[in-house]
């Protein structure tokens, strides 16, 4: 007996995903709640757990395929890997039952056992192309003996001893006339979404960027003085993001339009600050949200950011943690960026870009001295935020960072 594994509910308004990677192969033992596949959505990667103990059976879709919520993607067979390595025919019977319970694919024509390519469904033809299996050598388990995608995959996974199945064609890089090579890799769903949203921001917002620089001397001194005590008490390292988020919260309170957004012909002002922080993940940039940052201490902010960073790397961020956000801070300085013009994260109206800290000559009291300086960049939607407000906001950030006491006495 086989247990079906289907695509779980992925969150509000998300109806499909891409199967990014199979974590278990057919014939491998699995335990209940153990991840067997990874799905890529528009925002994060989601693991699909096995509903029962058993053996990984047939895989209904291939890596890179688009799947809908509720769709069958695999079967889990009863038993253990050592005692019940399920024969291909038994697996195909279970899959056929699942297929018969669902409507046939549009345009799919019935095929006889050992059918030809013309009689195969689109998904089965694709499986034939990917695996190199000759469909005439496959016993069909679909309606009227039709060869299904699962039949082809089963034949590829369990080739008959007397038949030498053609090996799948290797995806070799294309060669040019000069012997140079190119490789084409399909964009992940996350990267496609990032590309689409960034282009939408450029097309919709009247985007402009203003710059300032900030002397990091006092913040660096405070961090050096208290970092060990801070880590000992709060079990998290003291970074610069805690200071910048606190400074941004105060500046957003003074310049509320930077924390607002345009909805239709209305401007939405907010009395709360949900700060989106851009962090690096294996599949691209993700932007989890620090909720109600106006109520958090520097320690609370650092703990939240640290947790986001760890879970972004292992792909365990949740959908709800990626939604919302009223203002974004992007720290390109950790990668060595000197200056940039960050792009707004719609429907937000502004984004603050932080950059690397360099020793640069500045004039203080008539003397040229070297100071640790950082460029700040604020990209904003000029439809809502005027230049005066953008400059006022950046100056408020600059003042708070150059004199961190302001953060304590609420100036």
């Amino acid at each position: 007996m086989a247990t079906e594994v289907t695509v779980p509910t992925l969150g509000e308004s998300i109806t499909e995903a891409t199967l990014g990677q199979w974590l278990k192969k057919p014939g491998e033992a699995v335990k209940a709640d153990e991840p067997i596949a990874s799905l890529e959505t528009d925002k994060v990667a989601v693991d699909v757990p096995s509903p029962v103990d058993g053996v990984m059976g047939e895989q209904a879709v291939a890596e890179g395929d688009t799947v809908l919520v509720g769709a069958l993607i695999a079967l889990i067979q009863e038993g253990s890997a050592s005692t019940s390595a399920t024969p291909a025919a038994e697996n195909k019977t279970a899959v056929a039952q699942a297929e018969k319970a669902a409507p046939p694919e549009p345009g799919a024509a019935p095929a006889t056992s050992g059918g030809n390519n013309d009689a195969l469904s689109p998904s089965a033809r694709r499986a034939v192309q990917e695996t190199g299996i000759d469909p005439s050598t496959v016993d069909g388990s679909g309606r009227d003996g039709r060869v299904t995608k699962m039949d082809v995959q089963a034949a590829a996974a369990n080739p008959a001893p007397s038949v030498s199945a053609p090996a799948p064609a290797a995806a070799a890089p294309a060669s040019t006339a000069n012997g140079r090579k190119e490789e084409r890799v399909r964009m992940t769903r996350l990267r496609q979404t990032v590309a689409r949203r960034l282009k939408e921001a450029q097309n919709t917002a009247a985007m402009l960027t203003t710059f300032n620089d900030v002397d990091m001397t006092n913040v660096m001194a405070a961090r050096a003085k208290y970092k060990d005590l801070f880590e000992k008490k709060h079990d998290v390292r003291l970074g610069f993001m805690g200071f910048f988020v606190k400074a941004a919260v105060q500046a957003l309170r003074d310049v509320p339009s930077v924390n607002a957004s345009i909805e239709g012909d209305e401007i939405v002002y907010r009395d709360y600050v949900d700060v989106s922080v851009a962090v690096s993940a294996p599949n691209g940039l993700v932007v989890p949200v620090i909720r109600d940052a106006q109520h958090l201490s520097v320690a609370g902010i650092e703990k939240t950011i640290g947790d986001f960073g760890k879970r972004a790397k292992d792909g365990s961020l949740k959908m709800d943690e990626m939604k919302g956000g009223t203002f974004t801070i992007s720290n390109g300085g950790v990668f060595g960026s000197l200056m940039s013009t960050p792009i707004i994260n719609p429907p937000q109206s502004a984004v603050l870009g932080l950059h690397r800290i360099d020793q640069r000559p500045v004039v203080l009291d008539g003397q040229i001295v070297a100071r640790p300086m950082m460029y700040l960049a604020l990209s904003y939607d000029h439809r809502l935020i005027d230049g005066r407000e953008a400059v006022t906001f950046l100056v408020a950030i600059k003042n708070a960072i150059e004199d961190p006491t302001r953060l304590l006495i609420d100036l």
Side-chain angles (χ1 to χ4, degrees), residues 150-205:
M150 298 290 283
D151 296 331
V152 177
Q153 292 177 337
N158 301 276
S162 58
V163 178
S164 178
S175 298
T176 65
N178 296 329
R180 298 180 298 176
K181 295 183 178 180
E182 297 176 349
E183 183 179 3
R184 295 180 181 269
V185 179
R186 184 178 178 180
M187 293 175 68
T188 65
R189 180 174 292 271
L190 175 61
R191 176 50 58 185
Q192 293 178 42
T193 301
V194 169
R196 184 182 70 251
R197 285 177 58 83
L198 293 182
K199 189 57 183 175
E200 287 174 355
Q202 287 185 320
N203 293 339
T204 302

Side-chain angles (χ1 to χ4, degrees), residues 106-356:
T112 58
S113 178
N116 55 52
N117 280 339
D118 293 335
L120 297 175
S121 69
S123 60
R125 279 199 297 271
R126 179 178 176 182
V128 167
Q129 294 172 353
E130 291 176 346
T131 61
I133 292 294
D134 181 356
S136 64
T137 65
V138 180
D139 293 328
S141 62
R143 294 174 182 171
D144 300 322
R146 176 168 59 92
V147 175
T148 67
K149 176 181 179 179
M150 298 290 283
D151 296 331
V152 177
Q153 292 177 337
N158 301 276
S162 58
V163 178
S164 178
S175 298
T176 65
N178 296 329
R180 298 180 298 176
K181 295 183 178 180
E182 297 176 349
E183 183 179 3
R184 295 180 181 269
V185 179
R186 184 178 178 180
M187 293 175 68
T188 65
R189 180 174 292 271
L190 175 61
R191 176 50 58 185
Q192 293 178 42
T193 301
V194 169
R196 184 182 70 251
R197 285 177 58 83
L198 293 182
K199 189 57 183 175
E200 287 174 355
Q202 287 185 320
N203 293 339
T204 302
M207 197 151 54
L208 183 65
T209 304
T210 188
F211 299 92
N212 212 321
D213 59 2
V214 57
D215 187 342
M216 298 290 290
T217 300
N218 292 331
V219 161
M220 292 175 69
R223 180 173 179 267
K225 183 176 180 179
Y226 296 112
K227 65 178 182 180
D228 292 337
L229 289 174
F230 185 91
E231 184 171 2
K232 183 177 180 180
K233 180 175 182 178
H234 300 290
D235 195 28
V236 64
R237 295 180 62 186
L238 177 60
F240 295 124
M241 283 296 289
F243 291 101
F244 276 102
V245 171
K246 288 293 289 185
V249 167
Q250 290 192 7
L252 291 170
R253 181 194 58 195
D254 294 338
V255 190
S257 61
V258 181
N259 195 46
S261 63
I262 295 176
E263 292 186 7
D265 58 357
E266 297 179 332
I267 299 175
V268 181
Y269 292 97
R270 304 175 176 89
D271 67 352
Y272 59 90
V273 179
D274 289 346
V275 180
S276 303
V277 287
V279 297
S280 181
N283 292 329
L285 197 69
V286 293
V287 191
V289 179
I290 304 174
R291 308 287 180 190
D292 291 317
Q294 74 276 8
H295 297 319
L296 294 179
S297 64
V298 171
I301 293 168
E302 291 289 0
K303 286 181 179 179
T304 303
I305 294 174
D307 178 60
F308 284 158
K310 290 178 182 178
R311 292 192 291 121
K313 291 179 180 179
D314 61 27
S316 61
L317 284 172
K318 299 178 181 178
M319 292 289 181
D320 290 343
E321 294 172 316
M322 314 288 287
K323 296 178 181 178
T326 61
F327 180 75
T328 294
I329 299 179
S330 177
N331 187 7
V334 297
F335 303 109
S337 172
L338 174 65
M339 188 180 294
S340 67
T341 55
I343 299 179
I344 297 169
N345 181 25
Q348 298 173 21
S349 297
V351 53
L352 176 67
L354 309 181
H355 302 92
R356 76 175 188 238

